[in-house]
């Protein structure tokens, strides 16, 4: 079967390559070489800023206005007008054909391109961003972004509006799967690499939702308040790192309101002078444009003067009202020119004007292979009692596969990050694009892949809808693998980290029937595991993408060593969290079962009382033991660390594979700041490396890090400073397991 599948893939690949070749050679024969464009701004020797200014000189006021707002809801709302030139994605900005400036076609593409089905396109579903961040692999995240960029190019889009880097302050946030976890340095680095990957295809990239859009409950009415120093050292640091790495074309400001004492009064994120002008544009030196989240603009003059450059998706405030404000001098022409300049310079700097997308058939096989590669590194092995894993296909006689539609597919995340499944939802096929908040399964069948890896083993499936039937199959099988799921989406938060739909009861029933039970979790984020002591194996598979089933089988049978490590803490229960409930969730009138569709709520306050202590920092400062700490994950081999040396910008140590199989350890380096900083009750991640080691092999690694990762934000100086004192530097295999330590002294 495997051979047949590969050869079919090969044939299809060759066929599509041949079609492309024929098409391009026919084109080459019939069309004369295009005349060079001699317009002054097409001179590539000039900088993007010079080129943008040359265009602006030629533009009328109306042409300038095109670039500061979108053209409506396009493909997002049934019946909405799709303007000429728009591909029907989430946003469209009209260009100026007279000057050779194309329009901007924006596609939601957090984990793959959204709404592909409506254009009869294929789009690769990648593992969730949280999963990919758990690879701690910069190259994998660059690859992630380049898959998105490549497929955007192939379908004619020139801007991605993915790149979410909101910090996981609450594990119940419905969009955590779109983001890169709880640590600002890890998340910022991973999402920065992702956006670089997008832009490497000469597609405009984006980072969102700026900032503190860390919950879905009341996202358009909530007022998040957080102390300014904590703000700079947490969420804003993640944005700073991502933006610094990627130089993205766009930054999408968020829906929520913000209060940042001591000096920043309450305001919407999309018209917040501190956030947009002072921090983003001045301190981070962001050269691109700020676009509002869809419907996140609230005023004309105030928003324009506070740093918003483009209203999306429509023109309620930045259409005629802004034109009149410019004509009436309430918004200076120079500010309008700055807004337009930021858009145009991003178009030049990314290459969308010099090398616009050329549509061609998306290569689904290449996308699938890339998705599987990333999933191999993302899935985290959390428990392996008695070395039940990896499974040995030649010594196991029977395996029961139970639950979560594992016979047909793997779960994906919802909302604007929803990708359309090829052939439709595997559990509910219907024509057209996915329906908002439906639970979409992709046709990557764990049952089939496990059977392929174990052709001589009896592998049977039970849907898990009846605990007694599931237990019966489990009791008659040598190994039981239970799949459980937690569907998550934009527009909702989980009411609790407990699994929905009584799935804990299913695991209990199976574990009681079979002592060799392995649980595979497909979830948006952390879930509670009250049954953890009664099962032998646990994999956190996240939403594993279109290559998810293959990847799971690779890991279950040990063809790939598990190298994923949690990018987010797994608490034991909700009571351990800074907020026992998601703030504002009590205002939701008609919560769904287990989840809360948030809808519109009245204005309310959500003080981020945990401040800088997000995730593991909270647990450490409270001396609480989570279920699984940040950075945790098992391998099929073991590692030893030795010989740590450190300075204020670099560490060196040795990692040895002390087991008998090859594997990849994620060596993690943390720091504890001096007591004078007030931040000595928890660690901070400052560096890491993926170290691939053959059995018995040792490698000495030297890791450099930015001294701001050791610094505190000094409000008076408005910059990061290294406080004098002793810094404890620790290295090991998770935030909890740091076997090495040394001290670095920073003098006054
Ligand atoms: C989401 C954004 C998304 C936009 C367009 C908003 O509701 O918050 O992330 O890009 O819609 O679909």
């Amino acid at each position: 079967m495997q051979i047949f599948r590969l050869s079919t893939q090969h044939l299809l690949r060759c066929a599509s390559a041949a079609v492309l070749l024929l098409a391009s050679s026919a084109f080459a024969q019939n069309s004369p070489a295009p005349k060079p464009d001699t317009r002054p701004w097409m001179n590539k020797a000039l900088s993007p800023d010079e080129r943008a200014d040359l265009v602006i000189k030629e533009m009328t006021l109306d042409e300038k206005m095109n670039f500061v707002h979108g053209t409506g809801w396009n493909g997002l709302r049934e019946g909405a007008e799709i303007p000429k030139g728009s591909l029907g994605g989430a946003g469209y900005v009209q260009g100026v054909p007279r000057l050779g400036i194309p329009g901007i076609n924006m596609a939601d593409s957090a984990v793959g391109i959204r709404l592909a089905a409506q254009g009869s396109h294929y789009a690769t579903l990648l593992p969730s961003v949280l999963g990919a961040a758990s690879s701690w692999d910069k190259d994998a995240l660059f690859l992630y972004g380049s898959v998105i960029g490549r497929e955007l190019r192939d379908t004619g889009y020139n801007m991605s509006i993915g790149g979410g880097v909101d910090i996981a302050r609450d594990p119940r946030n419905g969009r955590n799967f779109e983001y890169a976890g709880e640590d600002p340095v890890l998340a910022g680095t991973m999402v920065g690499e992702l956006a670089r990957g997008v832009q490497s295809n000469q597609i405009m990239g984006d980072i969102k939702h700026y900032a503190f859009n860390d919950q879905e409950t009341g996202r358009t009415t909530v007022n998040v308040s957080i102390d300014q120093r904590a703000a700079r050292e947490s969420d804003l640091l993640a944005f700073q790192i991502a933006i610094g790495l990627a130089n993205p074309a766009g930054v999408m400001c968020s829906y929520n309101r913000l209060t940042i004492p001591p000096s920043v009064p309450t305001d919407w994120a999309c018209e917040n002078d501190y956030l947009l002008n002072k921090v983003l544009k001045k301190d981070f030196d962001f050269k691109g444009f700020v676009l509002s989240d869809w419907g996140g603009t609230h005023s004309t003059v105030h928003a324009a003067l506070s740093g918003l450059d483009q209203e999306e998706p429509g023109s309620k405030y930045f259409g005629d009202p802004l034109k009149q404000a410019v004509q009436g001098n309430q918004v200076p022409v120079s500010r309008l020119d700055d807004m337009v300049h930021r858009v145009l310079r991003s178009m030049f700097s990314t290459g969308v004007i010099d090398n616009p997308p050329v549509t061609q058939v998306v290569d689904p096989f290449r996308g699938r292979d890339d998705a599987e590669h990333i999933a191999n590194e993302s899935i985290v092995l959390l428990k392996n009692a008695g070395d039940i894993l990896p499974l040995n296909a030649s010594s196991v006689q029977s395996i029961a596969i139970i639950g979560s539609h594992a016979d047909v597919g793997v779960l994906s995340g919802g909302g604007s990050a929803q990708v359309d499944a090829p052939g439709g939802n595997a559990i509910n096929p219907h024509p057209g694009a996915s329906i908002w908040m439906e639970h979409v399964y992709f046709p990557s069948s764990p049952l089939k892949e496990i059977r392929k890896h174990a052709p001589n083993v009896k592998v049977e499936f039970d849907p898990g809808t009846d605990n007694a039937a599931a237990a019966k199959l489990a009791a008659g099988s040598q190994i039981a693998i239970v799949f459980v799921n937690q569907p998550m989406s934009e527009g909702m938060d989980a009411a609790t980290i407990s699994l929905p739909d009584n799935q804990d009861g299913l695991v209990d029933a199976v574990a009681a029937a079979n002592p060799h039970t392995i649980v595979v979790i497909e979830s948006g984020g952390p879930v509670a595991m009250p049954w953890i002591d009664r099962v032998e194996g646990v994999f956190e598979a996240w939403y594993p993408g279109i290559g998810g089933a293959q990847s799971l089988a690779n890991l279950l049978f040990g063809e790939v060593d598990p190298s994923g490590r949690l990018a987010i803490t797994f608490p034991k229960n909700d009571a351990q969290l800074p907020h026992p409930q998601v703030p504002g969730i009590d205002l939701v009138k008609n919560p769904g079962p287990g989840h809360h569709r948030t809808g519109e709520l009245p204005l309310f306050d959500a003080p981020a009382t945990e401040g800088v202590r997000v995730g593991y920092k909270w647990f450490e400062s409270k001396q609480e033991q989570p279920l699984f700490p940040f950075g945790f994950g098992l391998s099929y081999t073991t590692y030893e660390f030795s010989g740590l040396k450190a300075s204020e910008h670099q560490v060196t140590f040795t990692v040895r594979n002390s087991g008998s199989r090859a594997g990849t350890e994620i060596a993690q380096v943390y720091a504890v700041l001096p007591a004078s900083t007030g931040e000595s009750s928890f660690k901070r991640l400052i560096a890491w490396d993926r170290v691939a080691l053959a059995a018995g092999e040792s490698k000495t690694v030297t890791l450099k890090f930015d001294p701001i990762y050791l610094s505190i934000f000094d409000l008076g100086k408005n910059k990061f400073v290294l406080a004098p004192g002793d810094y404890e530097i620790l290295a090991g295999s998770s935030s909890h397991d740091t076997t090495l330590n040394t001290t670095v002294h920073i003098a006054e």
Side-chain angles (χ1 to χ4, degrees), residues 76 90 108 114 161 175 178 208-209 213 219 252 255 293-294 416 490:
L76 294 186
D108 274 314
R114 181 187 183 195
I161 47 169
R175 297 188 85 170
E178 296 183 50
K208 70 184 184 185
H209 309 86
N213 183 180
R219 64 177 174 164
M252 186 192 292
Y255 283 128
D293 199 343
W294 269 228
S416 61
E490 174 181 344

Side-chain angles (χ1 to χ4, degrees), residues 399-580:
I399 304 176
I401 309 288
I402 294 163
S404 217
H405 307 286
D407 53 336
V408 290
V410 291
L411 183 59
S412 59
S416 61
Q418 183 69 63
V419 176
D420 296 326
N425 187 347
I427 60 165
N428 174 29
H430 57 79
S434 316
I435 299 161
W436 186 255
M437 283 191 190
E438 74 175 308
H439 301 165
V440 180
Y441 280 75
F442 271 63
S444 175
S445 156
L447 177 65
K448 284 189 192 151
E449 291 305 320
I450 289 168
R451 282 188 174 145
K452 270 188 210 157
H453 278 73
N456 301 320
V457 180
K458 192 165 127 209
V459 184
E460 287 176 289
F461 179 72
D462 179 275
T465 44
D466 170 356
N467 289 357
K472 191 168 170 220
L473 178 65
S477 309
Q478 204 180 342
I479 306 272
I481 307 181
V482 196
F483 285 74
V484 293
N485 66 75
Q486 179 210 41
M488 295 288 249
S489 171
E490 174 181 344
M492 62 160 69
D493 290 323
T496 160
I497 59 165
S498 295
L499 283 168
D501 306 328
N502 302 319
Q503 293 178 90
D504 288 334
L506 173 66
V507 178
D508 276 333
V510 172
N514 187 319
H516 305 302
T517 294
I518 298 162
V519 181
V520 176
I521 305 166
E522 294 171 51
S523 67
V527 297
M529 303 180 202
W531 31 258
I532 189 72
D533 294 333
R534 298 188 285 282
V535 301
E536 286 195 328
V538 178
F539 270 114
E540 172 57 60
W542 316 107
Y543 302 140
I546 189 65
Q550 289 87 346
S551 183
L552 263 170
N554 296 338
L555 291 156
L556 280 165
F557 291 95
E559 272 161 43
V560 171
D561 181 65
S563 63
R565 306 289 186 263
L566 297 177
I568 189 167
T569 303
F570 274 48
K572 286 182 189 149
N573 50 48
D574 298 281
Q576 288 190 312
L577 297 171
H579 308 278

